[in-house]
Amino acid sequence: MSKQIGVLPVVTTATAATAFVVTWSSGFIIPAFATVEVSPLTLLVWRFAPLAVALLVLVVVSGAATGMHRRELRIQASIGIFAQFGYCIAVYGAVAAGIATGTVALIDAVQPLVVAVLVGPILGLRVRGAQWVGLGVGAIGVLLVIQSQLGATEAPPAAYALPAVAMVCLIVGTLLQRKTGVQTGVLVTLTVHVTVTAALLVVIAAVTGTLVPPASGSFWLAVVLTAAAPTLAAYGLYWWLLKRIGITALQALLFLIAPTTSLAGTILLGEPLTILTIAGFALCGAGVALVLVSEVRSARVDSRRGASTRPDDAQRLSRPEHRTVEEW
């Protein structure tokens, strides 16, 4: 069954998308404050470990995992290793190295273009022409903002590979979810991802001597905020929106995270905001609008076709090579 943005009430979709952008952006801003005097690993361990325990208890009490097969568990664990563990380690490492939060988010925002290129050979899907245009416009906006921020930090050049690693990890996790077609509920999905991530982080932190947390109130405030916003809210909304609006529309929304993070970095961290940066913001927004408008129009066209599709056409459209990104 197609999962289209037009299926959901507009207000619900817009609210979820806005909350996703804001909470995901907080995952870049909070570490910039919290890892000044604390190892990124220490913050990550205490961000995930207590949350993993709480989620496991909730899943057991609610029975949300009843009937879940081992294959599905293995797949979700694999997705979690890339989409949460690998992604968070790389992002926190980049921020701790001194890379501006906006720059980390902007390099990360190249993800939609990479996904658009890969959905064809990997998932057997096609991206519509208008969607390519929107993604291209958004990419130009990202490049403008990156250019406006280069040289604003003293981070070593090698550190700039970390945001790229984070991007690759999230791409692999997203494509793995779409390729395998698992339909695990959001609560169970989040629980498996958080638990796997917490287990790996505890082992690494214990080996590196970064497991013991400081007693400062600011550290524990950061722990609560990172657990609530970029973990529970952002990741939960990510997988929820992936099922509801499709992979292309969700990747387009990631373009908005870059300017949102840059704006927050300017206000809270004093990072530069220039005319070039603002122009990049505008192009990012235009790119997102083009992709989402294309999604809505495609939903309406497919809905009309569905009422009059002949049997032979239905068989043709059911083959993976004829499915669009929105229909997968």
Side-chain angles (χ1 to χ4, degrees):
M1 179 179 177
S2 293
K3 299 270 194 312
Q4 305 287 356
I5 190 171
V7 173
L8 295 175
V10 175
V11 173
T12 301
T13 303
T15 302
T18 301
F20 166 71
V21 170
V22 172
T23 54
W24 195 283
S25 297
S26 71
F28 298 101
I29 299 298
I30 298 173
F33 290 100
T35 59
V36 173
E37 298 179 354
V38 178
S39 167
L41 269 175
T42 304
L43 178 58
L44 280 172
V45 166
W46 294 99
R47 164 184 170 178
F48 282 100
L51 183 60
V53 174
L55 287 173
L56 284 170
V57 171
L58 181 59
V59 167
V60 171
V61 171
S62 65
T66 302
M68 185 177 185
H69 298 291
R70 290 183 179 180
R71 173 183 174 274
E72 188 176 357
L73 179 61
R74 289 195 300 269
I75 291 173
Q76 288 296 352
S78 299
I79 294 172
I81 289 174
F82 288 102
Q84 279 208 357
F85 173 75
Y87 179 82
C88 289
I89 282 284
V91 166
Y92 273 56
V95 173
I99 301 177
T101 56
T103 303
V104 176
L106 289 165
I107 295 175
D108 202 38
V110 178
Q111 178 186 336
L113 285 181
V114 180
V115 170
V117 171
L118 294 179
V119 290
I122 293 180
L123 300 182
L125 313 179
R126 64 185 175 87
V127 180
R128 300 178 188 276
Q131 293 168 339
W132 275 111
V133 173
L135 291 170
V137 169
I140 294 173
V142 168
L143 291 175
L144 286 178
V145 181
I146 289 177
Q147 184 178 352
S148 72
Q149 294 188 350
L150 288 178
T153 69
E154 298 180 357
Y160 284 87
L162 289 172
V165 171
M167 174 191 70
V168 171
C169 286
L170 190 57
I171 288 173
V172 172
T174 302
L175 292 178
L176 183 58
Q177 193 278 335
R178 302 303 285 174
K179 182 70 174 179
T180 57
V182 291
Q183 297 296 320
T184 314
V186 173
L187 174 60
V188 177
T189 296
L190 194 59
T191 300
V192 174
H193 293 184
V194 169
T195 302
V196 170
T197 299
L200 292 173
L201 287 170
V202 167
V203 172
I204 296 173
V207 171
T208 57
T210 56
L211 184 59
V212 179
S216 66
S218 59
F219 171 80
W220 291 108
L221 176 61
V223 166
V224 172
L225 291 176
T226 54
T231 306
L232 281 177
Y235 271 100
L237 286 169
Y238 183 88
W239 299 114
W240 187 83
L241 287 167
L242 181 62
K243 292 181 179 181
R244 297 306 193 273
I245 66 177
I247 190 170
T248 303
L250 179 57
Q251 301 309 305
L253 283 176
L254 289 177
F255 275 128
L256 291 179
I257 291 173
T260 301
T261 303
S262 293
L263 185 59
T266 298
I267 297 172
L268 300 175
L269 302 172
E271 294 174 354
L273 179 63
T274 65
I275 296 298
L276 194 60
T277 306
I278 296 173
F281 291 170
L283 285 176
C284 286
V288 171
L290 281 172
V291 174
L292 296 183
V293 167
S294 175
E295 289 280 320
V296 173
R297 289 178 177 174
S298 297
R300 292 173 179 171
V301 171
D302 291 340
S303 178
R304 288 195 294 267
R305 286 178 178 175
S308 58
T309 300
R310 298 189 304 274
D312 55 332
D313 288 335
Q315 294 177 4
R316 175 180 62 82
L317 290 172
S318 67
R319 295 198 298 270
E321 62 268 22
H322 289 289
R323 294 184 182 182
T324 64
V325 173
E326 309 92 299
E327 294 167 337
W328 189 261

